[in-house]
Each structure stands twice: as structure tokens, then as C-alpha cells.
């Protein structure tokens, strides 16, 4: 296949100047200081050429140059501006170029903030860039088609969502940023100078964690609102490929905090810094090599770059291990203090648990490769496997999050810990019982009042000056026994989960009260922990206690589900039409409104695309996911195209045209169909219509009937408007048969307190951002 000369030339020039920069930085580090200007200039030229390559590819997309294979495969001329943007990273070639572009920009962090690690840091960093450049020379986004298409194949409908404009770039910021602390750590090992490595690494480790967290959270929300299966996390191997380095980076942050406080764990932190970067590379291999094609709905196919990815992974594994093992005895060693009442210990416990959890997820994610090496039939772990081991980990995380706010960086055992243990136990019991009643009983008001009142009383007596004490983790076991015995619950694991997570939430809420308003810069950890506890409660509640209903709705008929009356009004177009919408009428509290989930056959997906509608409220979501529309053999009544005439009995009906009307500044619009009705020599003009009212959340559609006839009167209403065909469907009871043409199979799930998932994850992001702000200010000091 031919190449596009300007684009590939830019990549080639980027390769040359990046290599020149790497060699020059190495020579400068070895004493050839006169070459530093050449090194910096070469890196700047590399950045310029890659930026031009990015701009050129955007230009090709926005000018609809379908002679470019990548543009042809991931766009068409009908895509709006936002989705032309996201088409850039719709396939492998574009995502590698996006990753390289971000990597080029982040190199200036090392150049300007790297201090004594700057030179060797850039040597390592430019070597990372070389791998991406080599991949892009092999897998060019600028390759030409063998023919001249007039239209593109289009963008995957799943990617035509505003969240997918944001999600991939955010993830790739995290991926590219992981190389920055890695390069600094390797530079510290090379020059054998660790005096400032922590200060230089910490902010960018926090940014890596922040962006990986944001990418995972955005991806989960996109899946929830777009894919129609009702969840936000499926432990898919591609999802895990970004989840694992996120949790590993959280483990690194905990280790860096310990090293900053006491000087311990330097070697561990250097290995963790490398581990995060290697995990990113390994995740790239998993998702883009084709090895998971049979096990992941997100996996890319093999495009002939496996040898590059394997070489990338093996090189940095060997390089890191050899460098570390040759320098390990010179890094210095400060022993860790294993005092149960010391925050240093609890941070170490959290770091260890995060690391172990990452490794366990890594193992199950890699199972297709591992099992394939041992047999001819590779297999993958199912969802239940992940959930089974994640549940006890979540409980252990909650226990640590509960204990950590009450500990100091010292060695004494605090006074009065029995009293504080009793208070913490009471608090945990209150929240545990409250959550239990809220989820499993109908007395929601009682549960809410009970939890709020008891929690409020405990928080009143639990003065901030007591927050530096400890409540041993045995509390949670006591609460479990009490709740299980009192309520007779067989599966006490869920109660333990809720009690522990709620305990973590309240403990960190109390802790936060001592930081506000003046010490907000040092509350990032507590805010993140608070968000984590809320997220855990929301995750279990919205999944384990979700209630599923299935409705079978013939067109025009109504059924009740929860507090809604639901009617199926038909489809806006046909299931073969892209973005075809279903028309559902909801009635609640005397109010009627229309909603429009999507159901259509996608040639690009070679399957049916289902986009749900989510009815949101404070305590739960109602998740409406269309499964299928089944034809019943009935009719839509009288269907007339513009200018078409049909005679039924003594009447002839002619559809003249649509008429649109608005009501001044009111958000109302009436669509009428001008219908001529003839009987003998008499011709009447009728205007049945649909009055459409929109507000911030819903669209309300009310039919406006028209009456005709002398001896016997008939009422005409619009059943559907087929806009793409310029046709209208009419119902005339008593004259035109309007039996249901089809029926909708609709899955409806009630997801309790799912908002805690989104609130919790938002707090996690905010807390991690505060950590970065704090460590960035310390770096500048």
C-alpha cells in the first residue's frame, strides 16, 4: 500500500531528531557539555514534527480525505465536529500518534524540572519515544488506499458519544505520564544520586494516578450510559489494562509518602515506579497484539506490530532489572517501623494491599496467555471470579481506610483507646444498620433518620482532638456478628462490606473536618479515601441489590413498572436506519413525557446497537435497555407518503404536507399533517397533530386529534411521523385497522444508590488532584 509522503516524512523526521536528541543527551551526560544546545534543539524539532503530524492528520479528517486509509476506516462526511475529533483515536494508528504527541510534550517536564536527573532522564525518555516512532513507521496513519473512495466507512457507533471524545485522551495522558517518573528513577539509579529523586518523582506519580483514575472512571460511565448492559465495569481485559497500573500507582504514592516521612522503602518505590511503567507497556501488548481478540469486546486485532510490542516490553524489563540489581546496594536503606499504632505501618499495609490486588488482577487478566502456553485451549476468567476475590479485598481496604485517620507518625500507644473504640463501634453499628435497612427494607425514611441522627450524635461527641487516636480493626468483626445475629442474615459478607465501607466514610469525614478550611492542601488523602468508601457502597448496592424487570409492550399498550406507567409508541424510523429511536411514553404523578432509547442494526458493528435510557433520581436509577422489537403482523393504521392518496370505504385520504408551528417564546412546537378527506363531492382539510413540549430533562408529546364525518363521526390521530420517508401514520378508529404492528421487549433495572458510585469517584479524582497540587508546590519550594 502506498504512503502519504508529507505525513510519513514528518514521522521519519521525528524519528531522526528524537534519536539525535537521545544520543546528544547521553554525550552531554558523559561530559560533552557543548552538545547540550544540540540536544535541546533536536528534541524541540522532534516535538515540532510530531505536532505537525498530529495537525496534518486532523486536517485530513476534517477535509474528508478518504484516500487516506485511516481516515476512510474511521470517519465519513456526516460526522459532526466532535466525532471527527474522536475519529483521530478510533484505531491503533491514531492512538499511537496521540500517545507519542503527549509523550513529546511531557519530555519538557524532565528537561525543565528534572534537576540533576535531567540528562540521563532524557536519554531514557527519548528511548521510549523511539519505540512509538518505530511502530508508527511500521503502522502509518498516513497510508493511502488502493482506490479512491467517495465516502468513508464511518466511525464505530459505540464511539459516537461525547464521553469518548474525552476518555481516550485522558487515558493516554496517564500512559504517557507514567514514563516521566520512570525516566527520573532510572536516571537516579544511573548517576547513583537519590538526594532529590523523591521530590522530582512524586508530583508526576500523582498525575499518573489522577489521569489513569479519570480514564477508568470516564470509561465506566460511558459504558453505563451507552452499552445497554446495565453495568459500568465488567473486568474486561482491556479495562483491566488501565485499571492495574492505576492501582499500582496508588501503591507507589503510599510508598512515596512513607519515604518522604521516614526515608524507608526507597528501593521498593523505585521498583514500583518501574512497575507502573512496565504495566502500561504490558497492557498495551495485551490489548493491541490480538492475543485477547477472543476474550475482550474492546481488544484490537493484530496489525503486524507484535514483535515491536514484545521487544518494547522485554527491553524495559531487562534494562530496569539489570540497572536496579547493579545499584541496589548503593541506594541506602532505612528500616520500616512496624508499630501497629503508627501511620507509617498503616500506609505500608495499604501499599502492600494495593500492590497485591494489582498482581491478582494482572494474573487473571493474563490467564488467556498463561493458559494458552499450557494447553491448546486458552481460557479467561469470568466475571464471578473477579468479584469473588475483589469483595474481600474491598473489605480489607475499608478497614485500613477506617484506621488510617486515627494514627500518627510516632511510636506511642494512644491513651483512652478503649473509649474511642466504643465510639467507633457505635458509629459503625449505626451506619451499618442504616445501610442495611435502606437497601433491604421498605422503611427508607426510618433508615435515613436513624443513620443521620446517630451519626450526628457520635460526630458531636467525637471531638477533632481525638482524631489522632486509633480504633482497632476488630471493630468490624464485632459489628458483623451483632448485625448478623440481630437480623438473621445468612450472607453476612455483604453486611461486613457495607459496615466496613460506611465506617471508612465516616472516619474520613471526621478527619476532613480538622483540615477545613485552612489546611485543604494536606487533605487529599482523606478526601480520596472518603470517595473510595462511598464508591464501594454504591458499587455493591447498585449491583448486588439491583432489581430487574422485563416488560413485553405491544405498540400502543401500557404497563406499570415501579412508579411509572410505560407505553410503547413505535419507532421513529426503521431498525435498519442508523440511530433509530424508540418512542416510549412515561407517566408519573400525572405528568406524561416521551423518552427515546436507541435500537438499530449497525453494519459497522455487524449487529444490533442498543443505547439505553436512564431515569435518574436521588436514591436510584431506572435503567431502560431495549432488547428487541418483534413484528406482530398488525398495522400502523393508514400510512401515507407526501402526495399519496388512499381510499378506504367511502373516504379518500390524501397527505399534502407537514406543517410546523411554534408558540412564541414557549418551548412548545406543534407538528401537524395536512390531510385532505374526500367523500363524494365534498373535500375537507384536516390537521391532526402532535404537540411537543420540551424541558430540561424530558420531551412531552401530546396528540392533537381531528374530527370528520357527518352521519358517523371519526377521530383521526397521528400514530407516527416517518421523517426520513416524508410519510405519516394515521389512526382512524372504526375505519382503519390499527392493531399493534410490533412489540418491544424492554429490560428495566432499578439500581439503588448508584449515585454514590459517581460521587465517590469524583471525590477520588478531587483528592488525587489535591495530592498533586501539594507535591507540586513542595517540588517548587
Amino acid at each position: 500500500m502506498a504512503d502519504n509522503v508529507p505525513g510519513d516524512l514528518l514521522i521519519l523526521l521525528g524519528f531522526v531528531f528524537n534519536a539525535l536528541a537521545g544520543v546528544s543527551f547521553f554525550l552531554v551526560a558523559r561530559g560533552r557539555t557543548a552538545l547540550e544546545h544540540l540536544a535541546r534543539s533536536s528534541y524541540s524539532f522532534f516535538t515540532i514534527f510530531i505536532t505537525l503530524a498530529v495537525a496534518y492528520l486532523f486536517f485530513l479528517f476534517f477535509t474528508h480525505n478518504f484516500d487516506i486509509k485511516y481516515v476512510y476506516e474511521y470517519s465519513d462526511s456526516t460526522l459532526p465536529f466532535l466525532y471527527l475529533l474522536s475519529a483521530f483515536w478510533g484505531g491503533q494508528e491514531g492512538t499511537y500518534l496521540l500517545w507519542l504527541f503527549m509523550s513529546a510534550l511531557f519530555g519538557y517536564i524532565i528537561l525543565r524540572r528534572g534537576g540533576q536527573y535531567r540528562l540521563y532522564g532524557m536519554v531514557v525518555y527519548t528511548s521510549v519515544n523511539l519505540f512509538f516512532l518505530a511502530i508508527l513507521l511500521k503502522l502509518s496513519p498516513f497510508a493511502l488506499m488502493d482506490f479512491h473512495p467517495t465516502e468513508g466507512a464511518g466511525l464505530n457507533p459505540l464511539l459516537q458519544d461525547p464521553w469518548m471524545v474525552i476518555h481516550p485522551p485522558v487515558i493516554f495522558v496517564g500512559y504517557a505520564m507514567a514514563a516521566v517518573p520512570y525516566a527520573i528513577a532510572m536516571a537516579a539509579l544511573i548517576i547513583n544520586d537519590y538526594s532529590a529523586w523523591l521530590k522530582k518523582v512524586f508530583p508526576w506519580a500523582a498525575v499518573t494516578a489522577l489521569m489513569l483514575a479519570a480514564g477508568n472512571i470516564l470509561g465506566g460511565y460511558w459504558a453505563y450510559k451507552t452499552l445497554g448492559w446495565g453495568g459500568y465495569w465488567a473486568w474486561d481485559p482491556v479495562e483491566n489494562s488501565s485499571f492495574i497500573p492505576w492501582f499500582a500507582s496508588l501503591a507507589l504514592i503510599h510508598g512515596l509518602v512513607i519515604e518522604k516521612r521516614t526515608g524507608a522503602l526507597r528501593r521498593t518505590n523505585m521498583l514500583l515506579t518501574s512497575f507502573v511503567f512496565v504495566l502500561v507497556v504490558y497492557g498495551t501488548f495485551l490489548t493491541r497484539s490480538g492475543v485477547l481478540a477472543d476474550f475482550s469486546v474492546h481488544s484490537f486485532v493484530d496489525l503486524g506490530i507484535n514483535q515491536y510490542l514484545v521487544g518494547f516490553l522485554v527491553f524495559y524489563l531487562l534494562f530496569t532489572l539489570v540497572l536496579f540489581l547493579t545499584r541496589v546496594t548503593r541506594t541506602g536503606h532505612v528500616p520500616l517501623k512496624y508499630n501497629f499504632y503508627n501511620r507509617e505501618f498503616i500506609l505500608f499495609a495499604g501499599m502492600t494491599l494495593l500492590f497485591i490486588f494489582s498482581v491478582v488482577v494482572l494474573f487473571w487478566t493474563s490467564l488467556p496467555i498463561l493458559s494458552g502456553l499450557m494447553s491448546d485451549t486458552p481460557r479467561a476468567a469470568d466475571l464471578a471470579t473477579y468479584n469473588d476475590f475483589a469483595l474481600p479485598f474491598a473489605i480489607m481496604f475499608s478497614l485500613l481506610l477506617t484506621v488510617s485517620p486515627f494514627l500518627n507518625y510516632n511510636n506511642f500507644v494512644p491513651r483512652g483507646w478503649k473509649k474511642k473504640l466504643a465510639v467507633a463501634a457505635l458509629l459503625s453499628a449505626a451506619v451499618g444498620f442504616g445501610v442495611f435497612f435502606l437497601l433491604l427494607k421498605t422503611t427508607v425514611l426510618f433508615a435515613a433518620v436513624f443513620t443521620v441522627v446517630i451519626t450526628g450524635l457520635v460526630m458531636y461527641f467525637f471531638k477533632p482532638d481525638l482524631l489522632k487516636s486509633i480504633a482497632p480493626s476488630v471493630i468490624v468483626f464485632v459489628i458483623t456478628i451483632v448485625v448478623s445475629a440481630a437480623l438473621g442474615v445468612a450472607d453476612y459478607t455483604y453486611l461486613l462490606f457495607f459496615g466496613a465501607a460506611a465506617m471508612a466514610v465516616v472516619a474520613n469525614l471526621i478527619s476532613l473536618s480538622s483540615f477545613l478550611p485552612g489546611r485543604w492542601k494536606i487533605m487529599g488523602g482523606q478526601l480520596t479515601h472518603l470517595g473510595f468508601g462511598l464508591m464501594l457502597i454504591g458499587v455493591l448496592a447498585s449491583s448486588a441489590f439491583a432489581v430487574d424487570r422485563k416488560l413485553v409492550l405491544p405498540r400502543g399498550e401500557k404497563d406499570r413498572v415501579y412508579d411509572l406507567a410505560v407505553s410503547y409508541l413505535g419507532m421513529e424510523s426503521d431498525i435498519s436506519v442508523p440511530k433509530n429511536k424508540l418512542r416510549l411514553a412515561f407517566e408519573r404523578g400525572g405528568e406524561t413525557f416521551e423518552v427515546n432509547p436507541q435500537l438499530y442494526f449497525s453494519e459497522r458493528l455487524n449487529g444490533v446497537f442498543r443505547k439505553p435510557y436512564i431515569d435518574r433520581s436521588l436514591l436510584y436509577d431506572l435503567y431502560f435497555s431495549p432488547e428487541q422489537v418483534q413484528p406482530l403482523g398488525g398495522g400502523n393504521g393508514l400510512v401515507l407518503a407526501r402526495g399519496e392518496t388512499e381510499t378506504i370505504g367511502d373516504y379518500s385520504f390524501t397527505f399534502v404536507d407537514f406543517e410546523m408551528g411554534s408558540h412564541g417564546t414557549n418551548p412548545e412546537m406543534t407538528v401537524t399533517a395536512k390531510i385532505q378527506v374526500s367523500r363524494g363531492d365534498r373535500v375537507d382539510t384536516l390537521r391532526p397533530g402532535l404537540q411537543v413540549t420540551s424541558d430540561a430533562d424530558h420531551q412531552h408529546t401530546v396528540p392533537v386529534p381531528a374530527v370528520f364525518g357527518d352521519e358517523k363521526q371519526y377521530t383521526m390521530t397521528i400514530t407516527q411521523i416517518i421523517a426520513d420517508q416524508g410519510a405519516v401514520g394515521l389512526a382512524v378508529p372504526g375505519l382503519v385497522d390499527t392493531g399493534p404492528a410490533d412489540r418491544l421487549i424492554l429490560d428495566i433495572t432499578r439500581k439503588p444508590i448508584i449515585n454514590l458510585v459517581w460521587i465517590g469517584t469524583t471525590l477520588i479524582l478531587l483528592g488525587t488532584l489535591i495530592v498533586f497540587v501539594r507535591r507540586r508546590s513542595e517540588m517548587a519550594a
Side-chain angles (χ1 to χ4, degrees), residues 109 237 290 394 530 554 626 701:
I109 295 173
L530 169 64
T701 304

Side-chain angles (χ1 to χ4, degrees), residues 546-582:
V547 180
D548 191 70
R549 289 276 306 276
K550 198 177 294 293
L551 292 186
V552 179
L553 292 171
R555 185 183 297 193
E557 296 189 15
K558 182 188 301 183
D559 201 349
R560 295 200 66 85
V561 57
Y562 305 112
D563 61 338
L564 283 173
V566 183
S567 303
Y568 169 52
L569 305 180
M571 296 185 288
E572 284 193 353
S573 299
D574 184 77
I575 198 168
S576 62
V577 177
K579 300 184 179 180
N580 170 57
K581 295 180 180 178
L582 303 175

Side-chain angles (χ1 to χ4, degrees), residues 531-550:
F532 195 81
L534 288 172
M535 181 192 72
L536 289 179
I537 295 173
V539 165
L540 185 61
S542 61
S543 54
F545 295 94
V547 180
D548 191 70
R549 289 276 306 276
K550 198 177 294 293

Side-chain angles (χ1 to χ4, degrees), residues 640-656:
L640 296 173
R642 191 179 284 109
E644 183 180 0
T645 300
E646 185 166 336
T647 300
I648 300 176
D650 296 334
Y651 291 93
S652 294
F653 301 91
T654 302
F655 173 39
V656 180

Side-chain angles (χ1 to χ4, degrees), residues 103 109 118 121 133 186 233 289 294 365 386 409 489 527 537 582-583 605 620 668 676 707 735 780:
S103 183
I109 295 173
R118 173 174 50 88
L133 287 159
M186 294 302 100
W233 195 261
S289 63
D294 296 329
T365 303
Y386 286 101
Y409 290 102
V489 178
L527 191 60
I537 295 173
L582 303 175
R583 296 180 57 214
L605 296 176
Y620 59 84
E668 289 186 3
Q676 289 184 344
V707 179
L735 189 63

Side-chain angles (χ1 to χ4, degrees), residues 10 47 149 168 259 274-275 358 386 422 432 446 518 545 571 577 599 629 647 654 669 680 723 739 773:
L10 291 170
T47 305
E259 184 179 351
S274 306
F275 186 58
S358 302
Y386 286 101
F446 167 78
F545 295 94
M571 296 185 288
V577 177
L599 183 71
V629 172
T647 300
T654 302
M669 180 180 68
V773 171

